[in-house]
Amino acid sequence: MRILITGAAGFIGFHLSKELLEESHEIIGIDNLNDYYDPSLKESRLDILNKYKNFKFHKVDLKDKDAVDEIFKTYKPTHVINLAAQAGVRYSIENPYAYVDSNLIGFVNILEACRNYPVEHLLYASSSSVYGGNKVAPFSTNHNVDHPVSLYAATKKSNELMAHTYSHLYGIPTTGLRFFTVYGPYGRPDMAYFSFTKDILAGKAIKVFNHGKMERDFTYIDDIVEGIVKLIDKVPTANKEWDESKDDLSTSFAPYKIYNIGNNNPVQLMRFINALESALGIEAEKNYMEMQPGDVLRTYADVSDLEKDINFKPSTSIEEGLTKFVEWYKDYYEVK
Ligand SMILES: NC(=O)c1ccc[n+]([C@@H]2O[C@H](COP(=O)([O-])OP(=O)(O)OC[C@H]3O[C@@H](n4cnc5c(N)ncnc54)[C@H](O)[C@@H]3O)[C@@H](O)[C@H]2O)c1
């Protein structure tokens, strides 16, 4: 397979690229290396990927239609995995246009390129945040997701709608992946587990939002990668029996599919913090705060489709995953 991975210098893109390079696929990585968080971490990830002969990297912004087209024209990828996006719920309140540029305009450029240079399968990152204000849990891909509570979530839901349109009009098989709070080595500094670790090691108090009364379906990076790799060959086909009255929202009359990839095991924020404290061997000083706008109280993935279609379910416990994260963090930042 010749696979184009967008956002290859990002957290998930890096781990996914590395795994597929190990499996001897040809990987073309693109990323604009923006400074939403420390770009030196992106460079470090790329340094590792650049060691593989079967990896090629181009610094490209998804907003730049001509540059995206040129990549497709040059490499004619057989598969595309779109992970590049402006991520983060809270930042979408501060800088909404970054989300419009990367997640909407950028994604149209990917879809148009897949239309002009046909691919066997386009997979793209959606997010658990599309479940927005939903209360019924676990969150199923058959639940309605028309009530987002952040612009980030709205752009991810839009991606699913845009993908559906291209699956229908041009027969492009598309799979949307709703990831649930991903964590692990080489992770994202803007996410709580990362900033908590930094603050705890620096002896600073951590900010615990909604007084700790939140639950997240924390999912370890290796489980996310394994799920994506297994889904690459699971090319969606049109569901001829699709019937809108039957509550089947994750398939369609078009070659289109949506999956949740989450741990299916929500953890209270306080338990997560305790596990991090144990991994670090330090008790954190805590500043209890109010709920942040755009945040949701709970995420919880129903992964029955993953089990049915690829016989896979994430399984890493937070104790195990956080221990690996802390080992990496101390090694990377040379913490004694
Ligand atoms: N990490 C999570 O918990 C999580 C959860 C749900 C969904 N997601 C989604 O998964 C995908 C990957 O997330 P991540 O955690 O690896 O984030 P990340 O920020 O580490 O990776 C995204 C990468 O895309 C690049 N990028 C952003 N805008 C770009 C543009 N316009 N052109 C080219 N490159 C661009 C960034 O430089 C970055 O390296 C994103 O789409 C994100 O929204 C992540």
Side-chain angles (χ1 to χ4, degrees), residues 11-12 31 37 42 61-62 83 102 152 156 182 188:
F11 169 41
I12 301 175
D31 201 295
Y37 61 76
K42 299 182 183 180
D61 195 312
L62 290 196
L83 301 173
S102 295
Y152 169 66
K156 290 295 178 180
V182 192
R188 266 181 31 213

Side-chain angles (χ1 to χ4, degrees), residues 203-244:
K204 283 200 217 152
I206 59 171
K207 288 183 187 156
V208 182
F209 291 108
N210 203 35
H211 303 270
K213 285 190 216 84
M214 271 199 260
E215 273 178 34
R216 288 287 178 277
D217 208 351
F218 293 100
T219 312
Y220 189 62
I221 182 66
D222 290 2
D223 287 325
I224 293 286
V225 168
E226 190 174 344
I228 303 174
V229 170
K230 288 197 155 91
L231 287 171
I232 295 175
D233 291 329
K234 191 79 200 153
V235 182
T237 51
N239 176 359
K240 301 237 162 39
E241 269 115 64
W242 189 79
D243 174 346
E244 73 201 80

Side-chain angles (χ1 to χ4, degrees), residues 131-195:
Y131 292 103
N134 286 14
K135 295 226 162 47
V136 179
F139 295 161
S140 159
T141 50
N142 288 326
H143 292 168
N144 177 297
V145 289
D146 285 337
H147 298 83
V149 296
S150 68
L151 186 71
Y152 169 66
T155 63
K156 290 295 178 180
K157 164 71 183 176
S158 307
N159 287 169
E160 296 178 359
L161 296 171
M162 291 152 86
H164 184 271
T165 311
Y166 276 68
S167 293
H168 167 62
L169 289 175
Y170 310 111
I172 304 167
T174 64
T175 298
L177 309 165
R178 293 180 184 163
F179 302 136
F180 283 65
T181 319
V182 192
Y183 73 101
Y186 282 95
R188 266 181 31 213
D190 62 315
M191 291 183 70
Y193 68 95
F194 203 115
S195 58

Side-chain angles (χ1 to χ4, degrees), residues 269-335:
L269 182 55
M270 292 319 290
R271 191 183 136 209
F272 189 81
I273 292 172
N274 289 340
L276 185 59
E277 290 173 326
S278 301
L280 286 163
I282 307 173
E283 196 183 325
E285 195 187 318
K286 296 159 195 96
N287 248 343
Y288 293 96
M289 324 269 291
E290 293 306 312
M291 181 90 166
Q292 291 255 295
D295 256 357
V296 297
L297 281 175
R298 168 153 88 151
T299 64
Y300 181 1
D302 174 330
V303 291
S304 46
D305 270 9
L306 275 190
E307 293 183 271
K308 180 160 66 70
D309 292 354
I310 55 169
N311 194 21
F312 169 73
K313 184 178 186 289
S315 58
T316 309
S317 70
I318 49 157
E319 286 77 13
E320 193 187 332
L322 282 175
T323 302
K324 287 188 187 155
F325 169 72
V326 167
E327 270 166 24
W328 166 80
Y329 187 98
K330 287 185 165 172
D331 181 54
Y332 185 81
Y333 290 105
E334 297 176 6
V335 179

